[in-house]
Amino acid sequence: MDFQVVILAGGFSSYLVPLVSKEVPKALLPVANRPVLSYVLDLLESSNLKDLIVVVEGEDAALKVGGWISSACVDRLHVEVAAVAENVGTAGALRAIAHHLTAKDILIVSGDIVSDIPPGAVAATHRRHDAAVTVMLCAQPVSGPSESGGSGGKDKTKKPACDDIIGLDSLKQFLLYIAKGTEIKKDTRVKKSILCAAGKMEIRSDLMDSHIYAFKRAVLQEVLDQKPAFRSLKQDVLPYLVRTQLRSDVFSDQSNVEENGNGNGKNNMQNNEVVLSQILSNASMPSFHQVYESGLGTRKTHKCCVYIADESKYFVRLNSIQAFMDVNRDVIGESNHLSGYSFSAHHNIVHPSAELGSKTTVGPHCMLGEGSQVGDKCSVKRSVIGRHCRIGSNVKIVNSVVMDHATIGDGCSIQGSVICSNAQLQERVTLRDCQVEAGYVVCAGSEHKGETFARK
Amino acid sequence: MGAQKKGGGPRVSEDAVEQSRQRLQAILLADSFATKFRPVTLERPKVLLPIVNVPMIDYTLAWLESAGIEEVFVFCCAHSMQVIEYLEKSEWYSHPNLLVRTIESHKSISAGDALRYMYEQQTETSQIQGDFVLVSGDTVSNMPLADLIKEHRERKKKDEKAIMTMVIKQSKSSPLTHQSRLGTDQLFIAVDPLTKQLLHYEEDKVDHPSGSVCLEKSLLDTNPSVLVCNDMQDCYIDICSPEVLSLFEDNFDYQHLRRHFVKGVLVDDIMGYKIFTHEIHSSYAGRIDNFRSYDSVSKDIIQRWTYPYVPDINFSGNRPLKLGRQGIYRASDVVQSRSADVGASTVIGYGTKIGNGDKISNSVIGNGCSIGSNVVIEGSYIWNNVTIEDGCEIRNAIVCDGVKIRAGAVLQPGVVLSFNVVVGRDFVVPAYSKVSLLQQPTTEDSDEELEYADSSSGTADHLSGLNLQMESKASELGPDGAGYIWEACEGAHDEEWKHSVAPIPKDKLFEITQAIDDDDTDDESVVPTSGELKSDADSINTDVNDPNDDYYYFEKEVEGTVLRAVEENIKVDLVTLEINGLRLSYNMESADCAGATFYSMIKLAVDTPHNSASELYKNAASIITKWKELLGFYVKKIDEQIEVIMKFEEMCQESPKELGPLFTQILHLLYDKDVLQEDAILRWSEEKAGADEADKVYLKQCDTFIQWLKEASEEEDEDDEDEEEDD
């Protein structure tokens, strides 16, 4: 497929402090002991999308990510790593790497996705409709938006505030309206012209923008050039395209030049493509875009399409500490097909080289990494433990993530917490809903709840 | 006891049976409470106007009868005598299946009044026993009602609050002109796609002529999915529960069924009542609301969409016509010249004569008309007993009973000739003119609802007399004509083309499309292109504007209160009480009160006559001293005190010459009088430190004062520390 994939892997996200650090950019955060980026790469590979550009914010982070990629998958995929300045926003990042983009269509994927929705389906929908942009939507998680905050499940009890407000046409093919729920104070305003053209619009607040977009390269670059103030794809570029879909000014020059340059042959091909796209999209009736266009001869339109993922599919963006916990739990639990590991009869994964003390139990939905040692009379439930961790005796670990090389002293009790790599818990530490930064030492005997440990 | 119990059991089930057997009732409003059909409706009620040669009310009654309705209350207002007389003469009064009762009220000037009247009657006679169908007498439909009523009842049983079911039908307005087929305003409704509950109802033009539809956010919070439709037509057929009547009674300001009642239920959320919608797909329903819908519905009848209510079937005592090829309906006794050319989709009534060389197409011609030779009639509606002399040209016009059109006259598109008008020889009636023997009422009743107040009893009786008078007068329709050409009025003359029988003219079409283009560009320009979140910039703007307006009015009111207090020397307690009341009604913060009160006080000082700055200062000082308690009531918190300083600064900027130089002095005064604390002043200075140079004028002015304050506080701090150390 003539698709170029851009993975926006971010840098050191402030939402994820203290999990991310100079050593570990967001893209390399471990999910079930694999960097989260590897899930995205696997997903793309499964759709046979192999021409990838990974965009990382900041040189240091880019080096780290590049290092990992070259060690992990250089043989399978064609991956370039590009560094951009920090805080340029997603649109800025694309602007910075614009010269790398050559394919007709660009698939843009956020680097923090753990999912089993095939991105190839988005690409196919995009092609079928000959759309300017195609957005993948998925069902809003029932438990509440993933940004429900880092400290425990407090916000879960609240009714999920609608995150994205999305307007679809009656066939659920086109995107007619998109807004972020949090930005709308009181009223949702829907433009009448689009509504009139489409006849019906279904406004959904139970769908979520999944940050997987397919763009026509020409359109994307035109918008980025024309609107230098646009910073974010989701908040600026996409709403702009949706809003202007009936009075497009993104195509005007480009297509004319192409047509003139290539003469009749090209025209025929384009006509064929249009016909083909109509057949493919079961368009017994012309879409409202075409009707509108034919009515007002002076107008050009472009299509904004959607691909709505099946509700049964798994989708989480790792953009908060809560999401990090959820993903780790799900990947070794309910959605274990994502991890790519094979599970034992006890529904857990204990690396053969891990050492378990006597009377130690590792429950289902657990993972114990290579070379880790667990002392006597320990209990591990629904948790991920990284490689080469040292865990003392009488330790209880529930619903937690322990990253590589962490040391946990005797008699500790850890619940709902994240212990980053090289951190050390001295004896009899009790943690509940805490995050411990990499390399941090928690003093013996202390008891904490809902705290974050980080060196300032 | 045992026997009674036994008796109790079956009775319940009997009740249930009774309920299901409850008579199906309907209220038919034989008045549209609008003036769209003027001048025709000045002489005859709208429901008796013929559509394809049968009065509208017959279509409605025939449909209700066949849909299983057993009892109809015909509510008559304007020309009620005519309606009642007609019904008495017709077979409806003696119909075996349908009991027709008339209710007369001359006081009602709107649908709301009519239903209130029904409610009052109800308490005496309890005619309405349960759910009823509410339609207006100008509805043409063939939809089945029984199932819909059953659906409504079942929903009502499950959900007490579901009081109304509204019938809608798909009807997409033209993509080009955005005009609906029936000439009604564009309708935007929002429906829950699963339950079909109506969530939002908005008519274009009437509500917001803006470029966007506004949905409340709470709507989306409670419904994960909302269907917004633009392609629906409101059929004005409602299944109502008795609560609807009492709602009208409770809300005496409800007039219009949709604009007031439906919006009221949706927006005000009265008692949590809900309205549901029912979409009909295969059956027909249309309401004749204006001349354009008169045209569209006529065509639908001729094209047989309204079967069985079509001209070749007897449905209300009408004499059926014979259907020929190409949708030509002809009465058996039509006298038609061989050389006449009668084209497709035409209806010709009984006793009509058609002369040589006539060309007639897409038109309806009533009974007893006589048409001369070489007449061209296209897309027009000629009612009964019309005489058209040779060589006339009639295009897209409505010609009422008894009209005479003399030879060679031309009716341009959109013309409406009311009863008995005479068009003079070779006269050209200009497009869209409405002609009547009655003079246009000069005393314009501002409200359109007042249609029949002047027409109900008066005009009908005096009609014949007026006629004679008029004929004697010089006519506006040529030397041998009779009638007045009404000036386009009611502020709606721009809309004339929209509601007319004539198709939209080409130049207008161009204009509309152009306007749509402009609309779009307008929208575009509203949207700022900056990178910031701008998707709903306009809504944010309005949000910002409204409070500002509110604050302005609030400030004015506070000013008035304070002024009065000073003049009449009212006690501080009472003034605070009053200002608190204002604060609640305007939904203001206590900081706003502080700002507004202070503003009024200083303004008072400035407005008091003074010759020099020192005198102004004295004024201000005296007012502040006297009313510091009032101010003190609102400046208990630091934030409120800062608000006062900001307000003061703002005032100084507005009148720099007078107040400007006194800034520091008054600030000091406020400090001395304990209205402001030093913390507030220091915080203000800190906040201001980062501002533009222009904003810092007053900060600099009171630099020394602030410095002094700072030093004082530092000393205090040091003292404190010293003391602590001492301990």
Side-chain angles (χ1 to χ4, degrees), chain A residues 4 24 46 131 157 181 218 228 241 337 351 355 422 430:
Chain A
Q4 233 177 341
V24 187
S46 71
T157 49
L241 283 174
H337 59 284
H351 198 272
E355 292 173 26
N422 289 317
T430 306

Side-chain angles (χ1 to χ4, degrees), chain A residues 77-222:
Chain A
L77 303 164
H78 174 249
V79 184
E80 276 177 68
V81 178
V84 297
E86 287 178 48
N87 290 324
V88 290
T90 45
L94 284 170
R95 226 173 259 132
I97 59 141
H99 55 280
H100 288 292
L101 303 176
T102 50
K104 186 176 163 232
D105 295 289
I106 311 288
L107 190 71
I108 296 170
V109 182
S110 179
D112 54 5
I113 289 172
V114 177
S115 172
D116 54 358
I117 305 169
V122 183
T125 309
H126 182 70
R127 276 292 163 79
R128 193 167 64 214
H129 289 294
D130 191 32
V133 57
T134 302
V135 181
M136 188 175 93
L137 303 176
C138 55
Q140 189 102 247
V142 187
S143 60
S146 50
E147 285 117 291
S148 60
S151 54
K154 269 184 208 163
D155 298 30
K156 274 190 177 179
T157 49
K158 278 189 198 165
K159 199 164 67 73
C162 42
D163 215 15
D164 290 317
I165 294 176
I166 286 162
L168 304 172
D169 75 322
S170 50
L171 295 172
K172 297 185 174 52
Q173 284 179 335
F174 298 112
L175 184 63
L176 307 177
Y177 179 80
I178 185 161
K180 228 171 141 49
T182 46
E183 278 168 26
I184 293 176
K185 282 191 176 157
K186 191 160 154 263
D187 295 335
T188 305
R189 280 163 184 266
V190 180
K191 261 178 88 173
K192 280 183 183 165
S193 52
I194 291 180
L195 187 54
C196 290
K200 275 191 177 59
M201 182 190 296
E202 194 178 347
I203 297 184
R204 302 274 294 258
S205 48
D206 58 345
L207 289 175
M208 177 170 86
D209 175 5
S210 66
H211 293 247
I212 297 182
Y213 310 113
F215 277 98
K216 264 199 181 125
R217 181 180 55 85
V219 172
L220 180 64
Q221 289 189 337
E222 189 116 356

Side-chain angles (χ1 to χ4, degrees), chain B residues 2 39 41 63 65-66 125 131 168 208 230 283 297 309 312 367 412 456 578 597 606 624 681-682 687 689:
Chain B
T41 46
W63 158 59
E65 187 264 317
S66 72
T125 58
D131 303 329
I168 54 173
H208 308 281
N230 169 238
S283 30
V297 173
Y309 313 113
D312 57 331
N367 303 330
Q412 286 184 344
S456 55
E578 217 167 307
T597 315
V606 174
I624 289 171
I681 301 175
L682 291 177
E687 270 176 36

Side-chain angles (χ1 to χ4, degrees), chain B residues 394-409:
Chain B
I394 299 172
R395 289 201 167 82
N396 302 107
I398 292 180
V399 178
C400 297
D401 291 5
V403 169
K404 276 200 183 77
I405 301 174
R406 301 228 193 267

